[in-house]
Amino acid sequence: MSSFSSSADRQMQALLLDGWLACVATALGALPAHVLHVAVGDARRATVIAIGGCVAAGLMVAASALLVVDAIDASTHIELLSFAGGACASVLSVRLLTAIAAAASVVGDADDATGKRRSGAAASVRSILLLAALATDALAEGVAMGVAARRDELDTEPGARRSLPLMALMLCAHNVPEGMAAASAWHASRAGNGGEPMRADGSATELIRSALLAMCTSLPQPVGGALALHFLRGASGALPWVQGVAAGALAYVAAVELLPHALPSVGRKAAYGTVLASALGAAALHELTG
C-alpha cells in the first residue's frame, strides 16, 4: 500500500511539474511577441503570429489523436461509446462558449450614439475574449495531461509506452505560440486603450508584464491536470468519458478557433501545410519514443 502511495505521489508530482513547465513555455512566447511589436510591421507580425497559431493547431491535433489512439487500444466497445459521448459533450460546450464570446464581441464592436466606432473598447473586448479562450484551452490541455498520467498509472506492464512525457512535450511546444498570441493580444489591448507606443528602449517592463499575463492564461493547465488525475483515481470508470472530453476540446479548438484565425494572414495552403507538418512531426516523435 505504501509503495502504491509513493508511486502515486511521484506521478502527481511529475504531472504538476509538467504543468508548470507548460506555464513557463507560455511565458516564453511573450519574448517573440515583444520583439514583433517593437521591430516588425503589422502585416509581418500578423503573418508570424498566424504561422505560430498553425503550429499550435497541429500539435493540438496530434495530442487529440494520441488520446484517440490510446482509447482505441485500451477500451471496450462500451468505453468507446463513452469516449465518443465525452467528445461530443466537450465540442458542444466549447461551441456554446464560442457563441457567447462572439455575441459579446459584437456588443463590443457596436457603434456608439455618435456613430463613432469604439475601437479601443472593441480591442479590449476582443483581447479579453482571446485570453479567456486561451485559459479555457489550457484547462482542456490540463485534463489531457491528467488523463495521460492516469493511463500510465493503470498500464503496469514492464516497458510500456509512457503517455504523459510525450503529451507534456507536445503541449509545452504548443504553448510557446499560444503565449505569443496572448502577449500580442495584451499589446493590442494596451494600444487600443491609448497606451504609449512600444519602443525598443526601456521596454523590459512591458516584456515582463506580457510574459506574466501569458503565463496566467496557462495556470488552469496544472490545476486541471491535478484535478483530473485526482478525480480519475476515485472514478476510473469515467476515464473513457473524460478522455473523450479532452480529445474533443483539443480537436475543436484547433479546427475552429486557431486555424480559421490564421487563414487570412497566411493563406489556405500555407496554413494547412503548417498544421499537417506540425502534426506529422509530433506523430513521428511519438513513434520514435515508442
Side-chain angles (χ1 to χ4, degrees), residues 111-238:
D111 294 344
D112 62 16
T114 63
K116 181 180 179 181
R117 182 164 295 276
R118 296 176 294 177
S119 58
S124 297
V125 169
R126 285 191 296 269
S127 298
I128 291 172
L129 292 175
L130 175 60
L131 296 177
L134 293 176
T136 303
D137 173 39
L139 181 62
E141 293 164 10
V143 173
M145 292 174 65
V147 167
R150 184 55 181 162
R151 282 287 186 194
D152 288 347
E153 286 184 343
L154 294 175
D155 193 352
T156 57
E157 294 183 8
R161 186 199 302 267
R162 301 291 93 183
S163 298
L164 178 59
L166 181 60
M167 179 68 71
L169 179 60
M170 287 192 294
L171 293 179
C172 283
H174 152 272
N175 278 11
V176 175
E178 194 170 80
M180 187 166 62
S184 296
W186 183 81
H187 289 307
S189 173
R190 187 174 181 277
N193 283 303
E196 292 296 326
M198 296 288 293
R199 295 185 176 87
D201 56 331
S203 54
T205 302
E206 303 291 342
L207 173 59
I208 294 172
R209 287 177 179 174
S210 60
L212 289 175
L213 182 95
M215 177 181 281
C216 286
T217 64
S218 286
L219 288 179
Q221 198 158 334
V223 175
L227 290 176
L229 179 57
H230 180 73
F231 170 75
L232 290 172
R233 283 174 173 171
S236 293

